[in-house]
Amino acid sequence: MTGPERGYAEVLGLVRQLPLLGAVARVARRAVRRQASAERLPDAQIEVLRTVEAHPGIGPRAVAERLQLVPNTVSTIVGELVRAGLLRRDRDRSDRRAARLYLTEEAVDRLAAWVAAGDEVLSAALLSLDEADRRALDRAMPALRRLLDALEEVDREAEGEDADAGDTAHRASPRGTTKGPSDSGSRSTSASTP
């Protein structure tokens, strides 16, 4: 086996193990939900709340862009969170058509409870590993962050190609009625534990 073939085989071996990361995130979320005493929220709602927490005053469209969700999906989630008393939607003073989102005190408390539950669950799991495993995980974190960056770049490039294809299809249409590819579903790259 030549050098490039060996390199590809090693990469393919890693590719086939990456679903393990998703499984770890899913099991961690489930364990945190069980530990948290607060009423359980769907993951999508938690992601929206965390985005607003990190960017107070953000608009719904910007939330959708950050989470790579369809704007209508975020609009629905925001409405649910406002009705539940977890989000406050204020009108932008400079543009009355635009909305600005803020956490309510209840949302701040609930997110803090999620963080505390997550700290407890994940700390216990990590402490059950030996020191060598914990060191190996710690050393892997920078590489995982770079992998996330690389995947996001691939996704952005593919999204740009989809938009270009849509523009071409629109221009090729006899009356300009053909639409480009639509994203009727929603995507989220976040695998963080609530």
Side-chain angles (χ1 to χ4, degrees):
M1 187 181 285
T2 65
E5 289 171 342
R6 186 169 39 254
Y8 180 76
E10 289 172 2
V11 165
L12 195 55
L14 280 173
V15 165
R16 292 183 176 159
Q17 292 182 64
L18 284 177
L20 178 62
L21 296 177
V24 168
R26 276 191 308 278
V27 172
R29 279 193 300 267
R30 193 166 55 236
V32 171
R33 279 193 199 109
R34 287 193 178 118
Q35 181 69 27
S37 58
E39 180 186 342
R40 298 175 186 176
L41 294 173
D43 289 343
Q45 289 186 359
I46 292 167
E47 288 182 8
V48 168
L49 289 174
R50 286 188 150 179
T51 303
V52 174
E53 179 183 40
H55 307 280
I58 192 171
R61 184 166 294 279
V63 171
E65 289 170 5
R66 286 186 178 276
L67 295 178
Q68 296 185 338
L69 293 171
V70 177
N72 287 347
T73 300
V74 170
S75 180
T76 299
I77 293 168
V78 165
E80 292 167 350
L81 290 169
V82 168
R83 285 189 295 279
L86 298 173
L87 269 187
R88 193 178 85 234
R89 184 173 29 206
D90 292 348
R91 289 283 156 218
D92 188 314
R93 291 181 181 150
S94 61
D95 180 358
R96 300 299 293 167
R97 295 168 298 170
R100 298 286 164 219
L101 303 174
Y102 300 91
L103 297 182
T104 64
E105 285 186 34
E106 183 182 349
V108 170
D109 292 344
R110 287 184 62 174
L111 285 176
W114 278 110
V115 169
D119 289 350
E120 187 175 335
V121 167
L122 295 173
S123 294
L126 287 167
L127 285 168
S128 73
L129 303 178
D130 65 30
E131 190 176 340
D133 282 345
R134 289 195 301 271
R135 277 199 307 267
L137 287 168
D138 188 46
R139 284 193 306 271
M141 291 302 163
L144 288 172
R145 286 190 189 96
R146 290 190 295 273
L147 175 61
L148 178 60
D149 291 343
L151 287 169
E152 287 176 340
E153 181 61 29
V154 167
D155 188 46
R156 277 192 296 274
E157 288 172 5
E159 195 171 277
E161 289 170 10
D162 286 348
D164 290 344
D167 290 345
T168 303
H170 183 76
R171 284 192 299 273
S173 168
R175 292 189 182 167
T177 56
T178 304
K179 293 182 180 175
S182 66
D183 185 5
S184 58
S186 65
R187 297 173 307 188
S188 174
T189 59
S190 175
S192 61
T193 304

